[in-house]
Structures are given as structure tokens and as C-alpha cells.
Amino acid sequence: MAFSQGNDPDSVYHWYERDREKNPEKALQHILNGIKKAEKRKDKYHIAAYLVKLIEQKNFIRDYDGAYRDFKKAEKYCIDNKIDGQLPCAYSQYAETCYNMEDFAHAMQYFHLADSIFASQKDGIGVVISKNNIANIYQVQGKYDLAIKNLLDAARNVDTTQYRYIKVEIFNNISELYETIGENHKAQQMARSAMAIALGGKRDNPQGLLRSYAHLTSLLTDQGKYTEAEKYYNKGIHLADSTKLESLRFDILRPGIALKVIQDKMPEAKQMVTEAIALGKKYKKNTSEMYPIRASLARIYLFEGQPAKAISLLNELLNEGRQLDRRDDIAEIYNELSQAYEKTGDFKKALQNHKLFVVHKDSILGREKQKYFKDAQVKYETAIKEKQLAQNKIELLKKSSESKKKTNAIIMLAALVFFLAVLSYLIYRQQKLKAGQREKEFQLKAAISQIETQNKLQEQRLSISRDLHDNIGAQLTFIISSVDNVKFGFNLQNTKLNDKLDNISDFTKSTILELRDTIWAMNHAEISFEELRSRIFNFLEKAKTAKGSIAYTFHLDESINEMKLSSLQGINMYRTIQEAVNNAIKYAEATKIVIEAKSEKDRIVIQIRDNGIGFDTKATDRGNGLGNMKKRMKEIGAEFDIKSAKDAGTTVMISLQNKDDNA
């Protein structure tokens, strides 16, 4: 306190940083005392800097009205006294206040204003901070292509050793974007890089370190590595407790609750939700910050068999997300609502919400944006490698310069033969380094070429699928129309001819459906279980219409939602499930058909069960239907088995190696 009363600005900042979270009111007093001392010294620059700190602290305690008043004071003071260096800082701090208020329009306006001033002043670190903050807003809004663009602009201009806390922030943000497009491995790499930087130096960035722990907890939970996820969760809790920063504890509780829910530890999860909600109220967290806690509470309701409560809470979250245009959250809520309605047996609403989930997910990360994102990845990785190559060149030049100096000394002191030997060694070493550098450049070009080739192949697949749809699809539709015209244009007395025309029409309609499924598979290089789930829902709805006396149940484990299948695996899997259900409808005389997909160790297991009359698998001659199912599964390397007995129902089992585990 004695230091904060002195004239040394560094002392004011020191005491402010020490108390800003643990004792916010005292931290404010340090800054106010600093302003008084600066006014006595007529130190206009530090008066402006302290006014900016007031905005920061008012924002931290969520005193938004006070932050706005201090911002207007700081802006006027900087303009009147021409304190150009602090004016963009004032805009940036108030933009963060708007961000916490979830006023994203004004936040973006002031961040852009700060960015333009920092750029005009050639303030590199200011530009980096602004680009990173702008990216945060785009990420909340689901505009991932614009988010990655600003993050890459920031990442290329930051010095790891000098601005460690900013690098930690950027790496954590890039990690979250990788997670969004399903690249869990790269997301973990970036989160671990952020953690390593935060652990280096003075370790004076607990917020950045804890965010890395929290993100790793979330990523490892999604991957099913619960033991390792729990390790990072405990590290985060220890960090929050050791620093005595309750606001950090709130941040680590969010992924911790999701971990406990998926581990089926509901009492612990509910206790953590209660603690997180209390901390959220205490620190005035906004709806975006509270969303993961409340979403986890909805999942707890679902696990406890209270789908009505879950649906009510999810609809509240959906309204909030719509008001703030949080597109990523909206997509996730539709997915959760689909699962909740599925639990209640309302397949129609489950399908409706699943379709909305797919539409919103595609709108924020459609094919064009995915291509942009992947191109941006290549550019980012290329920029990093170019930076490494440049550093290697600098090191090579330094070493070469040192070698020349030594060589000059050797020329004066040693014989000609010794000089030639040293010179030969230096040339060999330089050539070796250049060869290594050329090899790295070649590998980078090869990687870029491979990506371009994959894009061309995808374009060819799309072209073929369009031709199938526009040409063959149109011709089949013409056949149906022609058959209908023949039937209605002539008074057909021949019953056999009329039946034959009906058969042709039905066969053609069936062919069109098969063609649409084939086009769907061709349009995707990979097919997720989420997309397969939507197809199966549609099929079951039609089956229900055809034979309403049968009760259909379909369950897909959440753990395999994001798992990817090749287009061949996806269509063969769908056809086999379709064939198994059709067989049960036609021959089994069943009243109940159950489809279940889950993950067991390193395999994906799918079962189609019915309670029908069954059959003797040894005595029955396997016709084309069973033979085709077995052949389809063999094509994709899956195991296929049928278990049945008379009056004991039939179970079709499919087992496929988990591609993620293979990777």
C-alpha cells in the first residue's frame, strides 16, 4: 500500500494486479490514488493509462454502467490531450465490456476501431490483441472462416518469448476451432502448446494455463479418455485453489461437470452444477458463460429419466441463443432436443430437431467454409514452417559468420592443408543444412499438392452425382409419368396388364429412392453417424406408415455421433440395416423392432432385433437378401452374424473396427 501511494507508476500497476481479483475495491483505490499522484506530477500519459485501467476493472466486476462512464472520460481525455497511445487501448477495453454484456455489434465496432488505430501507429502487439478479440466474436457467432482469418493474422505477428500470454490465448482459440471441425488430434496439439507456453517463464498467466487445462479436459472427455481428462481437471482445480481465484474455479467446473455426467457420476455432477451456478451469480457471468452449465444440467435431467424437464430447459437456452445469434450453441441445442424427444418416443419431433441441427451445423460450417478453413490450416502451417525455415537461415548465417572469423584466425596461425580441411568441413556442413531445408520445403509442397488433388476428386464426385440426379433421375420420373398417363388415358379392362403397369411404376419409384441414397453417399467423402441417423429416422417413419402395428425403437450412443465412415461404409451400413428391418416386417410377424448402435472397446456394434417367429438358421436356405447383407459387410471389412431360433425372434449383428482408434 505504501508503494501504491508513491510516484512510481510501476508500483501502482504492481499493487493493482495483485489485488484486482482477490480484492477488487482495493484495486480500484490503487488506480484512483495513482491518478491523484499523476495529476500532481502533471503526468498526462499515466492519467490516461490509469483511466483505461478503471474501464478494465469495472468490466471485471461487471459494473457496466461504471465502465461506460470511465470509457467516455478516458476517450475525451485522450482526444483533448492528444494521448494517441492510450486512445485505442480505451476502445479495446470498452469493446471487451460490450463483449461481456453480449452486445456483439458494439464490441465488434470498438475492436475494429482499436485495430485500425493500432495499425496506423504500427503498434504490432495492439494489432495482435485486436485481431484475437475480433476472432473471439466471430467464433461465438459461428463465423469460423472469419475467426480463423483473424487468428492467423494475429498468430503470424506475435513473438512467443516476449508476449507469452497472448500466444497462449491465440493457441487456445485455434485449438477450439480445430475441435469445431472434428480434428481432435490437432486441437489437442494446440491446447498442449498453449499449456507449455503458459507453464514456461514466470508462470504469471494462471488464466491462460487454466483455460488449457479446461480445454484438454473437454477434448479428452469427447475422446473417451476419462482418466487423462480427470488428471487435467484436477490440475485446474488445484490451480484455482492455490491461486485463491474463485473465478478460475468456475471456468474449470464447466468441462468437469460434462466429464462427471458422461461417467454417470450424477451426484458429483449435480453438486458441481450447484457450485458453478452460485459462482456464476457471484461474478455476474452472462448467459453465454452460463450456457455450458445449464446445458449440462439438461443432460443430467435426461440421464435421470426426466426428459420433460430437459426439454423445458433446452427450449429456454434455445430462446437465449436465438436472441444473441449464438449459432454454434443453437445447433448443439437442436441436437440435444432431438435426443430428448427420442427418449420420450416422439420420433417425429426427434427427427424435426435433428434436421434443424444438421441445417444449422451446415450453415456455420458448410462445405465452402470447411474448404476455406482447411485452406487456412495449410496457410497457417505453411507460415509456421516458413518462420522455422527463416529462423534456420538466420542461425545458419550466424554460424557461417562465426566460422569465417575462426577461419581467418586459422589462416594466420595454421598451415594451408589445415585451412583446406576446415573449409571443406564447413562447405559439407552448409550443404547438409541446405539439403535438409530443401527436404522440408519438398514435404510441404507435397502436402499442399495432396490437398489440391483431394479437392479435385471431390469436385468430380459432385459432378457425377449431379449427372445421375439430372439425367437418370429425370428419365425415371418420366417413366412413372408415362405409366400413369397410360393407365388414366385408357380404360384398361385387362387386370393383369393394369397390375403389370403398377409393378413397373412401383419398381421405378423404388429405383429413384435407391438412386437418391447413392447420390447422398457420393456427395460425401465421409459420412458421420449423425447423418446416418437422419437417414434411418426417415426410413423408420416410412416403415411406421406402411406397418403401424409394429413398435419401432432406435437408439444411437452419443459417444459415436461424430465418428466418421467412408461413403462406401455409410451406404453399405444403411442398406444392411434397411434390409434387416424389411425382412423383419415381411417375414417375422413381429410386434417390436429395435435398432441399437454403440461403441464397445475398439469396435462399433450395431444390432437389429425383433420379437418375431424366428427361423432355424441352419435349416433355412439363405436367399439373396441375407447373402447381400453378408456381402455388403464383407466389402467394408465388417463382421456379420445372424442369431435366430423358432419363436425366439431374430438378431442381426454388425461389428466394425472403430476408424478413430485405427488412426
Side-chain angles (χ1 to χ4, degrees):
M1 286 293 289
F3 283 176
S4 71
Q5 304 302 321
N7 294 332
D8 182 7
D10 289 338
S11 298
V12 175
Y13 290 136
H14 168 78
W15 289 97
Y16 165 75
E17 291 295 338
R18 190 200 70 169
D19 290 326
R20 67 182 301 266
E21 289 193 34
K22 297 176 184 177
N23 196 334
E25 294 302 321
K26 189 180 287 187
L28 281 173
Q29 193 58 49
H30 293 319
I31 296 301
L32 293 172
N33 289 340
I35 291 174
K36 290 178 182 178
K37 297 294 183 182
E39 286 173 344
K40 288 182 180 179
R41 299 194 306 270
K42 297 182 179 180
D43 182 352
K44 294 181 178 179
Y45 178 85
H46 279 101
I47 292 172
Y50 293 148
L51 287 171
V52 171
K53 284 293 180 184
L54 282 178
I55 305 169
E56 180 185 60
Q57 188 61 7
K58 294 288 179 66
N59 176 39
F60 175 75
I61 62 176
R62 305 299 169 97
D63 178 5
Y64 299 132
D65 291 338
Y68 176 74
R69 289 193 296 271
D70 290 330
F71 160 67
K72 298 308 290 184
K73 288 180 186 176
E75 181 187 38
K76 185 176 187 305
Y77 190 88
C78 289
I79 293 172
D80 290 347
N81 294 280
K82 298 181 180 179
I83 313 295
D84 298 332
Q86 288 298 322
L87 182 59
C89 297
Y91 288 134
S92 184
Q93 284 297 342
Y94 187 65
E96 289 192 23
T97 304
C98 294
Y99 180 87
N100 282 337
M101 287 192 293
E102 297 176 297
D103 182 358
F104 299 132
H106 282 100
M108 187 68 80
Q109 174 190 337
Y110 286 113
F111 277 138
H112 275 300
L113 191 55
D115 181 44
S116 64
I117 297 175
F118 281 134
S120 68
Q121 295 174 352
K122 297 182 179 180
D123 184 341
I125 187 62
V127 170
V128 167
I129 293 171
S130 297
K131 297 288 186 189
N132 182 60
N133 288 329
I134 290 168
N136 284 337
I137 297 176
Y138 281 134
Q139 188 169 347
V140 169
Q141 295 175 331
K143 299 175 182 178
Y144 299 121
D145 48 342
L146 297 175
I148 192 65
K149 179 182 183 301
N150 281 275
L151 281 177
L152 296 182
D153 289 342
R156 280 193 288 265
N157 294 288
V158 70
D159 179 0
T160 305
T161 57
Q162 189 175 359
Y163 304 114
R164 307 180 72 88
Y165 74 100
I166 298 173
K167 194 73 171 181
V168 170
E169 175 79 1
I170 292 171
F171 277 20
N172 277 324
N173 286 346
I174 294 174
S175 173
E176 290 180 3
L177 284 170
Y178 275 136
E179 183 185 16
T180 299
I181 63 166
E183 294 203 19
N184 191 292
H185 178 67
K186 287 187 177 181
Q188 282 193 50
Q189 282 182 331
M190 298 304 292
R192 292 182 192 278
S193 296
M195 179 180 68
I197 297 170
L199 287 170
K202 297 178 181 179
R203 299 194 183 185
D204 54 356
N205 183 17
Q207 292 86 354
L209 179 57
L210 185 127
R211 188 179 171 200
S212 300
Y213 287 152
H215 198 205
L216 283 169
T217 301
S218 176
L219 288 167
L220 292 164
T221 298
D222 291 342
Q223 206 173 4
K225 297 180 178 178
Y226 305 133
T227 302
E228 193 176 0
E230 195 145 20
K231 181 183 79 172
Y232 285 106
Y233 167 72
N234 289 331
K235 282 179 177 285
I237 288 292
H238 175 73
L239 177 63
D241 291 343
S242 63
T243 54
K244 297 181 180 179
L245 298 174
E246 282 187 328
S247 58
L248 292 187
R249 190 174 177 88
F250 173 86
D251 293 334
I252 193 65
L253 280 172
R254 291 189 292 181
I257 292 167
L259 172 62
K260 298 300 179 185
V261 168
I262 206 166
Q263 288 178 310
D264 201 19
K265 297 179 179 178
M266 295 305 159
E268 290 182 54
K270 291 174 74 173
Q271 185 177 355
M272 291 160 65
V273 166
T274 301
E275 181 183 358
I277 290 174
L279 288 171
K281 289 180 180 177
K282 181 176 180 179
Y283 291 97
K284 300 178 183 178
K285 298 294 184 181
N286 59 37
T287 58
S288 297
E289 292 165 313
M290 291 301 296
Y291 167 77
I293 307 297
R294 298 171 69 198
S296 292
L297 181 58
R299 293 189 193 101
I300 291 172
Y301 287 147
L302 207 56
F303 272 99
E304 289 183 336
Q306 302 181 73
K309 276 191 173 182
I311 290 169
S312 175
L313 179 53
L314 287 169
N315 280 318
E316 288 180 21
L317 295 174
L318 182 61
N319 290 332
E320 292 173 1
R322 284 170 174 166
Q323 289 173 8
L324 298 169
D325 195 28
R326 299 200 314 262
R327 300 179 190 177
D328 201 11
D329 291 345
I330 292 170
E332 182 181 341
I333 293 166
Y334 278 130
N335 188 35
E336 296 285 346
L337 278 169
S338 174
Q339 295 178 35
Y341 281 119
E342 184 181 332
K343 289 279 187 183
T344 64
D346 191 342
F347 287 109
K348 186 175 181 180
K349 286 188 177 179
L351 179 58
Q352 287 173 351
N353 281 279
H354 181 72
K355 287 180 177 178
L356 288 168
F357 160 68
V358 172
V359 169
H360 278 75
K361 190 175 182 181
D362 189 63
S363 72
I364 59 176
L365 199 64
R367 285 191 177 86
E368 288 300 317
K369 290 186 180 180
Q370 286 186 50
K371 182 178 181 299
Y372 181 92
F373 194 102
K374 291 184 183 295
D375 289 345
Q377 285 180 245
V378 174
K379 290 177 183 177
Y380 172 73
E381 290 163 4
T382 302
I384 296 299
K385 289 180 180 178
E386 285 176 350
K387 190 174 182 179
Q388 291 173 348
L389 289 173
Q391 290 173 345
N392 290 341
K393 287 180 181 179
I394 292 171
E395 291 297 322
L396 183 61
L397 289 172
K398 287 181 180 178
K399 291 177 181 178
S400 178
S401 177
E402 292 172 1
S403 298
K404 286 179 181 178
K405 290 180 182 178
K406 291 178 182 177
T407 302
N408 290 333
I410 291 170
I411 290 173
M412 293 184 290
L413 300 172
L416 181 60
V417 175
F418 183 69
F419 164 77
L420 291 174
V422 172
L423 185 60
S424 298
Y425 169 74
L426 291 172
I427 292 172
Y428 166 76
R429 186 181 180 191
Q430 189 175 28
Q431 290 299 321
K432 188 175 179 180
L433 289 170
K434 287 182 178 179
Q437 180 181 327
R438 284 196 296 270
E439 177 65 22
K440 288 181 180 178
E441 290 173 349
F442 174 77
Q443 291 174 355
L444 179 61
K445 289 177 181 178
I448 295 172
S449 176
Q450 184 180 4
I451 290 171
E452 290 174 348
T453 302
Q454 290 173 350
N455 287 338
K456 288 179 181 177
L457 287 172
Q458 181 63 15
E459 288 173 3
Q460 290 175 357
R461 289 158 64 96
L462 291 173
S463 176
I464 293 169
S465 68
R466 281 195 297 269
D467 288 343
L468 286 172
H469 181 272
D470 296 342
N471 296 330
I472 298 177
Q475 291 171 9
L476 290 171
T477 303
F478 176 75
I479 291 171
I480 295 172
S481 178
S482 298
V483 170
D484 290 341
N485 288 337
V486 168
K487 289 174 64 179
F488 289 108
F490 298 93
N491 185 15
L492 297 178
Q493 301 298 323
N494 190 329
T495 305
K496 289 184 178 181
L497 179 58
N498 191 56
D499 291 343
K500 189 66 176 179
L501 289 173
D502 285 339
N503 288 339
I504 291 171
S505 180
D506 291 342
F507 177 76
T508 307
K509 289 175 182 177
S510 176
T511 303
I512 289 175
L513 292 176
E514 297 285 338
L515 180 63
R516 285 176 181 170
D517 289 336
T518 302
I519 291 171
W520 163 68
M522 287 185 68
N523 278 339
H524 296 75
E526 287 185 327
I527 296 172
S528 71
F529 269 90
E530 281 288 345
E531 293 167 309
L532 193 61
R533 178 187 185 197
S534 181
R535 288 272 159 178
I536 294 170
F537 264 133
N538 273 324
F539 171 66
L540 289 179
E541 283 296 315
K542 291 174 184 175
K544 207 170 184 180
T545 303
K547 194 134 185 180
S549 61
I550 298 176
Y552 300 92
T553 302
F554 174 42
H555 175 69
L556 177 69
D557 265 10
E558 190 175 348
S559 60
I560 64 173
N561 275 350
E562 298 302 324
M563 289 182 183
K564 302 290 185 181
L565 300 170
S566 69
S567 59
L568 178 62
Q569 287 175 326
I571 192 65
N572 278 13
M573 192 76 74
Y574 174 64
R575 292 287 186 228
T576 302
I577 294 170
Q578 194 178 39
E579 183 71 27
V581 173
N582 280 333
N583 284 346
I585 293 171
K586 289 179 182 178
Y587 309 117
E589 299 179 17
T591 60
K592 184 177 181 181
I593 298 175
V594 177
I595 305 171
E596 185 177 45
K598 58 186 176 180
S599 176
E600 291 185 0
K601 294 183 179 178
D602 61 343
R603 302 192 73 81
I604 300 166
V605 178
I606 299 174
Q607 291 188 2
I608 304 96
R609 303 190 300 271
D610 67 66
N611 64 348
I613 60 175
F615 62 92
D616 186 344
T617 57
K618 293 181 180 179
T620 302
D621 179 25
R622 297 193 177 193
N624 288 336
L626 298 180
N628 286 341
M629 286 193 286
K630 188 174 182 180
K631 184 179 178 182
R632 286 182 188 278
M633 292 301 97
K634 188 176 181 180
E635 281 182 354
I636 62 174
E639 295 178 4
F640 178 80
D641 189 26
I642 296 179
K643 293 181 180 180
S644 183
K646 288 188 176 181
D647 301 321
T650 300
T651 299
V652 175
M653 295 183 65
I654 301 167
S655 177
L656 179 67
Q657 184 75 27
N658 188 337
K659 187 177 74 170
D660 291 342
D661 288 334
N662 284 336

